Amino acid sequence: MGIHMRPADLLSRTAGRFECQVLIENNGQSIDCKSIMSILTLGARQGTQLNLRVTGPDAQQALDALCELFEQGFDESDSEVATEQTS
Amino acid sequence: MLELQGIAVSPGVAIGKVLILDREGYRITRSQIDSADRHNELDRLRTAIAEASKRLEQHRRDSTEKIGVDIGAIFSAHQQLLLDTTLHREWERLISDSCYSAEFAVSTVLSRYAHAFRNMGSDVMAERAGDIRDVERTLLEALGGAPLQVSGGLGQSILLSHDLTPAETAGLDRSKIIGFCTEAGGPGGHTAIVARGMELPAVVGLGSFLHRIARETTVILDGFSGRVVLQPDEAALKDYRQRMEVRAGRVKQLTEIRDLPAVTQDGTRVTLLANIEFPGEIAASLQRGAEGIGLYRTEFLYLGADTEPSEEEQTTAYREVLSQVDGLSVIMRTLDLGADKVGKFTLLEPESNPSLGLRSIRLSLRQPRMLRTQLRAMVRAACGGKLKIMFPMISTLHELRTARMLLRQVIDELAEEGHQPPQKIQVGMMVEVPAAVLMLERFVREVDFISIGTNDLIQYTMAADRSNEYVADLYAGHDPAVLRLLQTSVDVAQAAGVEISVCGEMSSNPITSLLLVGLGVRILSASPASLPQMKQALRQVRLEDCTQIAKRVFDFDTAREVDAYLKTRFAELLPEMALGV
């Protein structure tokens, strides 16, 4: 249970490179993707569907970078991701 | 000035500077700052974060080079945690809004997260608590903190902490720490026992107070009344310094009665023995007039060690004890580990109800190899000394018989190996489970002596956890139910002609020691520090006074009434002592 240290690190680092706001939504709960502590406390299980919500000037670039991370599968995670972009 | 009331668990008064130990064992010199300093404190935090981040970056590079990317990735994640702005906001809020020191803010927030992860019920999550602790350590170091173990150059301080384990307490440097206060804990916990053994004044169960400690303040700790005074004014300091002088005078007086026998005015002789944890306490015990060791708690050999102590190490320790007591007898209790005294190396799975679980003799019989090693060491040490072996927490005859059988095997084995056989070793049991009291007439046929461990007997009779502050009031040795079990034990032992002693803390309190003598007990074993006042009390009363007390207490329905009666009676019989206690 829970997102592991390594993917949480990569997620928050990647999101942190961009100016836009990045939120992860899980079960109606939404947390800041730039905060590793928030990601760790998210309590997502493997296979959980997570939504990414990106808002801001470089939203598309951020989304691309994050999607790439998920597609590469980090190391162990196989979370499916659904994305939604608002600008 | 701020006065707090807690539970006094180890007598003595200490005045010193505060030293806060955070939940992970780091020392923090203050938790509060002046509101004018908030801006500086925020700067200090930011500088420390930058510094800690630099150190983690260095670690990451070093370990990636030397060990590989996997380890480097851990430091990378730690660095990311350190730079998490969510955390920064929480820290900064505590500094700006609540005037917390940077260290205390960091420790408070991270402890909360670590605690939450630990309680998620998954090993992966629990490991994360370890990561958070690492980040906390790095940041506290950057803020200038150091682990308690390596703290040097401190003056004499009073340790303030949320809680302390028995092992942590035993590891305190007596030359630097002159007392301690904790938020958690209750009377009779093992931490309290260790504190008394070390003669370290202590107050526990103060409730949440650490966040109220101002900058490097002085604190008065009164281990007699349970009072703790933070930032004391001159009058309070003067008052307590005077009391310390009076007490020093009384201690001197008590030392003077050391060589006088513990005998009542009408000639009833009582034997006073000492409870010890470490061989190092023997000198202090003899100095205070102990006539032997009534309880040597061997588990402290195990608690401080990283690995199980070997047969040789144990033999040496037990021989040392015997050689120091000058031919007096020593009751050695076999391992009483479990519950809140878990060694670093024992492979105990967490139990949902440790006090009722696999502890003490149950654990020993389940892991007979460990008990066997200990018994071998005891038997080997027994030659040339008066060593008695006692098994703790016996509930059934089956347990007693199994333990005795192991002992017989060990003695035979050693004889076959050519060791000099010891003279007959007396074997006894602790009576601390109500079941043992109820079956005592059968038990006494199979032992040479019994010793009542009142601490556990109270806990198991009242079904009250002695270190849980919410139910600690149920835990009372003078409860009518406990008194009935004590009376039964004494009657059965006397009828069978089996030696009976009391080694729990009830014997160390002067008033309950008189009660025990009234019940018929003639051997009392207590912490070395309490022996002189027990003797002083005994020497001033007649046996008749004690018997009368022991009769009268059975008239009452509740612990509260018994307590009130005992206090009144004590004040009548020993007005001088009653004032001092």
Side-chain angles (χ1 to χ4, degrees), chain B residues 114 116-131:
Chain B
F117 280 126
R118 233 177 260 133
N119 289 339
M120 279 182 185
S122 114
D123 287 347
V124 180
M125 288 309 219
E127 254 172 55
R128 203 148 293 159
D131 288 310

Side-chain angles (χ1 to χ4, degrees), chain B residues 28-64:
Chain B
I28 296 175
T29 49
R30 66 214 155 106
S31 68
Q32 286 278 302
I33 51 166
D34 290 339
S35 57
D37 291 335
R38 282 178 295 183
H39 201 72
N40 289 340
E41 201 66 8
L42 289 171
D43 279 346
R44 214 162 72 79
L45 176 65
R46 287 183 198 120
T47 313
I49 291 173
E51 170 62 29
S53 170
K54 224 188 289 167
R55 284 185 208 174
L56 283 175
E57 178 66 25
Q58 190 60 44
H59 285 323
R60 187 181 65 78
R61 266 198 235 120
D62 289 353
S63 53
T64 308

Side-chain angles (χ1 to χ4, degrees), chain B residues 379-396:
Chain B
V379 173
R380 282 177 59 191
C383 291
K386 281 189 199 149
L387 185 152
K388 300 176 173 184
I389 294 178
M390 176 159 73
F391 297 112
M393 209 196 163
I394 296 283
S395 314
T396 67

Side-chain angles (χ1 to χ4, degrees), chain B residues 492-518:
Chain B
V492 173
Q494 278 177 349
V498 165
E499 184 185 293
I500 176 170
S501 60
V502 176
C503 67
E505 277 146 60
M506 266 185 90
S507 51
S508 62
N509 179 325
I511 177 62
T512 39
S513 70
L514 297 185
L515 166 63
L516 290 168
V517 170

Side-chain angles (χ1 to χ4, degrees), chain B residues 235-545:
Chain B
L237 280 171
K238 199 174 149 212
D239 176 35
Y240 268 95
R241 288 203 180 105
Q242 263 169 5
R243 287 198 219 182
M244 284 169 85
E245 266 172 44
V246 173
R247 288 212 171 95
R250 192 176 299 136
V251 168
K252 196 163 155 268
Q253 205 185 345
L254 291 175
T255 329
E256 280 159 10
I257 69 165
R258 180 184 74 195
D259 299 322
L260 302 172
V263 60
T264 61
Q265 302 234 309
D266 49 351
T268 303
R269 184 78 168 78
V270 175
T271 304
L272 297 183
L273 306 174
N275 295 344
I276 60 162
E277 278 86 39
F278 322 100
E281 287 174 275
I282 293 175
S285 306
L286 298 179
Q287 231 170 43
R288 287 172 175 76
E291 298 165 77
I293 303 300
L295 175 63
Y296 171 35
R297 299 186 171 98
T298 55
E299 51 278 5
F300 286 85
L301 263 180
Y302 293 73
L303 284 175
D306 288 319
T307 55
E308 186 189 332
S310 69
E311 183 181 323
E312 289 307 320
E313 283 169 318
Q314 293 189 53
T315 310
T316 311
Y318 303 153
R319 280 195 180 130
E320 191 190 334
V321 169
L322 283 169
S323 74
Q324 282 188 40
V325 290
D326 230 2
L328 299 170
S329 71
V330 177
I331 297 179
M332 291 194 186
R333 180 175 69 184
T334 63
L335 259 185
D336 191 21
L337 283 175
D340 67 335
K341 289 192 285 189
V342 181
K344 287 181 197 161
F345 55 90
T346 41
L347 300 167
L348 281 179
E349 286 169 28
E351 294 179 294
S352 61
N353 207 342
S355 299
L356 302 181
L358 186 64
R359 55 172 293 213
S360 195
I361 193 72
R362 302 170 182 182
L363 178 62
S364 294
L365 294 177
R366 189 71 186 264
Q367 299 187 351
R369 191 196 47 76
M370 232 161 128
L371 179 60
R372 196 184 280 272
T373 306
Q374 184 172 39
L375 288 175
R376 280 180 64 97
M378 284 183 180
V379 173
R380 282 177 59 191
C383 291
K386 281 189 199 149
L387 185 152
K388 300 176 173 184
I389 294 178
M390 176 159 73
F391 297 112
M393 209 196 163
I394 296 283
S395 314
T396 67
L397 279 145
H398 181 69
E399 286 170 343
L400 176 67
R401 288 172 186 160
T402 315
R404 291 206 65 148
M405 190 189 67
L406 265 170
L407 176 61
R408 270 197 306 277
Q409 283 176 358
V410 160
I411 292 175
D412 290 347
E413 223 171 73
L414 285 166
E416 273 171 34
E417 290 168 26
H419 288 277
Q420 189 195 341
Q423 55 277 65
K424 185 189 174 322
I425 296 177
Q426 290 207 352
V427 179
M429 63 181 266
M430 298 261 314
V431 174
E432 47 190 341
V433 179
V437 179
L438 296 171
M439 288 297 288
L440 200 57
E441 55 183 288
R442 299 298 167 87
F443 279 110
V444 289
R445 298 174 186 168
E446 304 188 19
V447 287
D448 300 307
F449 65 93
I450 62 171
S451 188
I452 304 185
T454 48
N455 300 6
D456 272 340
L457 185 62
I458 299 166
Q459 156 166 273
Y460 292 130
T461 305
M462 303 309 298
D465 177 355
R466 53 194 184 179
S467 60
N468 180 336
E469 59 211 277
Y470 301 109
V471 295
D473 61 329
L474 280 173
Y475 175 90
H478 49 266
D479 191 281
V482 179
L483 294 176
R484 276 161 177 75
L485 291 177
L486 291 172
Q487 183 69 73
T488 307
S489 308
V490 177
D491 292 347
V492 173
Q494 278 177 349
V498 165
E499 184 185 293
I500 176 170
S501 60
V502 176
C503 67
E505 277 146 60
M506 266 185 90
S507 51
S508 62
N509 179 325
I511 177 62
T512 39
S513 70
L514 297 185
L515 166 63
L516 290 168
V517 170
L519 289 170
V521 180
R522 293 292 176 270
I523 307 173
L524 298 173
S525 193
S527 62
S530 43
L531 295 175
Q533 54 174 0
M534 286 160 65
K535 189 189 279 185
Q536 194 190 26
L538 275 167
R539 288 180 59 85
Q540 288 178 54
V541 299
R542 293 164 305 155
L543 178 61
E544 202 182 306
D545 301 320

Side-chain angles (χ1 to χ4, degrees), chain B residues 209-251:
Chain B
F209 76 99
L210 286 178
H211 60 283
R212 294 161 83 176
I213 309 299
R215 173 184 294 267
E216 287 162 23
T217 179
T218 297
V219 60
I220 299 174
L221 183 165
D222 184 343
F224 294 99
S225 68
R227 191 153 22 129
V228 170
V229 187
L230 297 164
Q231 291 173 290
D233 56 23
E234 268 314 306
L237 280 171
K238 199 174 149 212
D239 176 35
Y240 268 95
R241 288 203 180 105
Q242 263 169 5
R243 287 198 219 182
M244 284 169 85
E245 266 172 44
V246 173
R247 288 212 171 95
R250 192 176 299 136
V251 168

